[in-house]
Amino acid sequence: MYCDKDNVNTLTALLIAHGVRHAVVCPGSRNAPIVHNLDVCPEIQCYPITDERSAAFYALGLCQATEEPVVVCVTSGTALLNTLPAVAEAMYQHLPLVVVSADRPKQWIGQLTGQTMPQPGALTCFVKRTVDLPEPHNDEEHWYCNRLVNEALIAATQPCQGPVHINVPITEPLYSFNTRELPSERMIAFNSLLAAHDGGKEACVSANAITAVAHDLLQQLAKAERPLIVIGQMKPSDLAKGRIPALTDKHYVVWNEVLSGEDGATSLEEMLAMAGGNKDFLPDFILYIGDTLVSKRAKQLLRQAKDAICWEVNANGTVHDPMMNLHGIVQARPDDVLAAITAEGPREWFDRWETLRWKAEDHRRTFVPRYSNLLAVQLLEERLSNTAEGYALHYANSTSVRLGCLYAREHVYCNRGINGIEGSLSTAAGFSLATDDPVYCVIGDLSFFYDQNALWNTNLRQNLRILLLNNSGGEIFAKFDGLRQSLARSMVMGVHATTAEGICRENDIMYCHAHNEEELYNLLGALVSPKAERPMLLEVFTNAEDDLRAYQEYFNTLL
């Protein structure tokens, strides 16, 4: 029988799955459920040692001898601190020492209760990863617990090995052992091209090496009936030119956005809107590369594909699990793995998505928006598509980048790592210092005024062009019907009556403004003119409600 603690049973099952065969255990009451589980596991040999400092070094010696991950399990309080000398040694010997500490529930830390102290982070300087497990009460918390244990054990055992710390809060009662068998836990597989000595900086990129390390991924992809390749935000140089068209030529469905490192139309948001909740569009295999996606619809659909086999490829070997169903990681350059895909994708599945893509592209070409920030972005992108000169395009977060995902047909830069509204203008201005090409920044009013100090310096160059979408507040919040009932709506939306004219005058920036479609159309010509001798800003004044209606009309007329 195993203990009745969900997080302890999850931990135990995954220790076995990741190859732990030895555990040094120390006495204590709080860690009793963990020690009990380790002791009754036939796969794990336990060694009782009373002195925690000595126990950690015993585990270190087992690591040296076996070259495998070894657990040292301690109770709560100062017991954890006694492992530090061995943990420091394991760090510099690159040994996969796994420190498992029991802990009191978080609410009792600092409340004059015995053997309690802030344990998470106590070993931070000398471990590769620290995780603090939840005590799960629902499926999402269980997924989180599973993911944290996988992350820690992958960090301990991936090519550049080292110690990790897994902290396990346990609520009383401690001595209930009524669980007949361990749960079947999802183990996240880890395959890497990188050798320990290079610190993860260089990859062996021969075709044979790529095929070997990504063997399971490629085999499962070839067998899938509904495979999907998802490409999040990437640098333009991360993918070889033409890589995505080469995949679609093989009839693979590829989801990419204008932040995904390759030029070209995507129509992802429109396709997802048309697919809706139709289960015929759910994949059975997902290959995810790159970082975050802008599309909320994409994330929702991916999470609906609960039975799909999911793999991620990244150069760092980092665990990302936005689908909540990750099967494995391949640590390699994504472009190398994509290049290794030689099998043809299933034609029927591909054609299903292509039909949506054709409809979306036709809609984008024929839809005529009302005067709005949507129209401003549409007209700017039309002007840019007709210019022969090179340029760089930056979109600020929130509504701006969502409009860019509809109409941009080139790579878009955006601070999408955290999605904050601060710094977008400064980032575009900094980019403009390193190129002679025009640099366009499409930005909303709150983001602009928040970051207006980007213009308060002597570094500005004439190649910076700003399209400021000013609808007197955060229009993205206007869509929430519940917020309409709140007296605080204007505060949440950041309603204001500010313009950029004075800011531009103070900073010697050419300023113009548009209040209607005719003015907008005429002034965009000046914004994209290569003859500008100063930085330029075009402020487009619109109404937040009209902007929202234009955006909704765009999607409503798709269906």
Side-chain angles (χ1 to χ4, degrees):
M1 293 285 203
Y2 297 93
C3 75
D4 293 345
K5 304 301 179 183
D6 191 0
N7 56 358
V8 176
N9 289 338
T10 296
L11 169 64
T12 308
L14 287 173
L15 288 174
I16 295 169
H18 281 272
V20 171
R21 297 295 177 263
H22 302 278
V24 179
V25 297
C26 301
S29 60
R30 190 60 50 167
N31 66 330
I34 306 173
V35 173
H36 170 86
N37 270 21
L38 295 174
D39 184 54
V40 299
C41 284
E43 298 89 347
I44 297 177
Q45 174 68 47
C46 287
Y47 308 88
I49 302 289
T50 300
D51 183 326
E52 289 95 0
R53 184 184 65 86
S54 179
F57 278 108
Y58 264 79
L60 184 79
L62 282 164
C63 280
Q64 291 173 334
T66 63
E67 298 185 358
E68 295 175 351
V70 175
V71 164
V72 56
C73 176
V74 299
T75 195
S76 61
T78 55
L80 173 64
L81 301 181
N82 287 320
T83 68
L84 185 55
V87 169
E89 184 63 28
M91 171 60 83
Y92 289 106
Q93 288 195 39
H94 309 291
L95 293 172
L97 180 64
V98 180
V99 179
V100 175
S101 59
D103 200 356
R104 305 295 173 112
K106 292 180 181 179
Q107 63 268 27
W108 289 106
I109 305 301
Q111 298 304 305
L112 307 181
T113 299
Q115 287 187 283
T116 64
M117 67 174 203
Q119 293 183 194
L123 309 179
T124 295
C125 290
F126 300 100
V127 292
K128 294 185 64 183
R129 188 82 166 88
T130 294
V131 297
D132 187 33
L133 303 188
E135 295 189 84
H137 297 93
N138 55 50
D139 288 344
E140 185 169 330
E141 290 176 354
H142 184 92
W143 161 78
Y144 183 44
C145 182
N146 173 285
R147 196 195 82 204
L148 288 176
V149 177
N150 271 294
E151 287 179 1
L153 296 177
I154 287 171
T157 57
Q158 64 174 285
C160 188
Q161 296 180 336
V164 296
H165 175 204
I166 301 175
N167 193 61
V168 190
I170 303 175
T171 301
E172 295 181 1
L174 304 176
Y175 308 116
S176 180
F177 310 116
N178 296 314
T179 303
R180 291 188 174 277
E181 58 185 31
L182 291 174
S184 177
E185 289 292 332
R186 173 191 61 151
M187 175 190 169
I188 299 176
F190 183 86
N191 301 323
S192 178
L193 282 169
L194 307 182
H197 68 270
D198 65 24
K201 295 179 181 178
E202 297 180 3
C204 176
V205 294
S206 72
N208 289 339
I210 291 289
T211 302
V213 77
H215 176 268
D216 291 344
L217 183 162
L218 296 173
Q219 287 288 101
Q220 291 165 1
L221 172 64
K223 293 177 181 178
E225 296 179 357
R226 303 184 305 280
L228 174 63
I229 299 172
V230 181
I231 305 178
Q233 183 174 25
M234 302 184 76
K235 299 174 185 175
S237 58
D238 285 342
L239 294 182
K241 192 72 174 177
R243 181 68 69 211
I244 295 174
L247 290 168
T248 56
D249 287 346
K250 292 185 178 72
H251 306 124
Y252 282 100
V253 177
V254 180
W255 286 4
N256 62 302
E257 297 178 322
V258 288
L259 287 70
S260 298
E262 171 133 347
D263 297 346
T266 67
S267 300
L268 176 60
E269 195 70 0
E270 296 94 324
M271 290 191 297
L272 291 168
M274 287 186 284
N278 190 334
K279 293 183 179 180
D280 290 340
F281 290 93
L282 290 179
D284 63 358
F285 178 94
I286 301 168
L287 169 57
Y288 195 111
I289 70 170
D291 295 314
T292 186
L293 289 168
V294 174
S295 173
K296 185 175 182 179
R297 286 186 177 95
K299 298 167 190 172
Q300 290 173 335
L301 189 143
L302 290 174
R303 289 175 186 171
Q304 290 174 27
K306 298 184 182 299
D307 296 326
I309 296 172
C310 305
W311 282 84
E312 180 184 12
V313 177
N314 66 65
N316 298 320
T318 306
V319 177
H320 303 128
D321 191 18
M323 297 84 68
M324 303 177 72
N325 192 28
L326 185 64
H327 283 62
I329 301 164
V330 172
Q331 185 178 20
R333 293 189 305 184
D335 192 60
D336 293 334
V337 175
L338 294 181
I341 298 174
T342 57
E344 288 283 318
R347 187 61 183 264
E348 181 193 0
W349 167 251
F350 176 78
D351 288 344
R352 195 177 304 169
W353 281 95
E354 277 300 286
T355 299
L356 297 187
R357 189 185 302 277
W358 295 331
K359 291 180 180 178
E361 285 297 304
D362 183 64
H363 179 266
R364 184 185 63 83
R365 287 190 298 268
T366 58
F367 180 78
V368 180
R370 65 175 71 205
Y371 178 71
S372 60
N373 54 19
L374 179 64
L375 177 65
V377 170
Q378 181 199 55
L379 293 178
L380 173 67
E381 290 292 346
E382 285 180 0
R383 291 293 181 101
L384 293 177
S385 67
N386 292 324
T387 182
E389 296 184 343
Y391 60 89
L393 188 56
H394 286 246
Y395 274 84
N397 270 309
S398 201
T399 296
S400 299
V401 72
R402 286 171 171 81
L403 300 180
C405 284
L406 299 182
Y407 283 108
R409 288 300 176 263
E410 63 284 286
H411 177 73
V412 163
Y413 293 92
C414 181
N415 290 346
R416 203 65 195 167
I418 303 297
N419 309 352
I421 68 167
E422 76 280 32
S424 295
L425 185 59
S426 294
T427 302
F431 192 104
S432 71
L433 302 181
T435 179
D436 292 328
D437 291 335
V439 176
Y440 295 92
C441 180
V442 181
I443 189 168
D445 45 10
L446 296 188
S447 295
F448 175 84
F449 293 119
Y450 194 108
D451 197 24
Q452 62 182 283
N453 278 349
L455 307 180
W456 181 46
N457 62 74
T458 59
N459 299 311
L460 294 185
R461 301 183 63 202
Q462 58 80 27
N463 61 338
L464 179 63
R465 318 287 171 84
I466 304 164
L467 179 65
L468 170 55
L469 308 174
N470 190 343
N471 56 18
S472 302
E475 171 253 320
I476 196 169
F477 303 110
K479 66 181 180 179
F480 300 116
D481 290 334
L483 190 58
R484 294 177 185 275
Q485 313 305 318
S486 172
L487 296 177
R489 184 172 187 255
S490 62
M491 289 188 283
V492 173
M493 292 180 62
V495 173
H496 65 88
T498 311
T499 81
E501 184 174 4
I503 296 170
C504 291
R505 187 185 308 115
E506 291 172 359
N507 294 287
D508 195 29
I509 295 169
M510 189 182 304
Y511 174 81
C512 53
H513 57 85
H515 290 83
N516 55 57
E517 185 172 343
E518 183 179 0
E519 291 177 352
L520 172 62
Y521 188 85
N522 292 333
L523 290 169
L524 279 172
L527 188 70
V528 301
S529 171
K531 299 179 181 179
E533 297 179 355
R534 290 185 292 160
M536 182 177 177
L537 182 146
L538 169 56
E539 187 167 19
V540 181
F541 291 97
T542 59
N543 176 275
E545 296 294 339
D546 289 340
D547 291 340
L548 179 60
R549 277 193 291 270
Y551 190 78
Q552 291 172 336
E553 287 168 2
Y554 182 87
F555 285 97
N556 290 340
T557 52
L558 266 171
L559 307 176

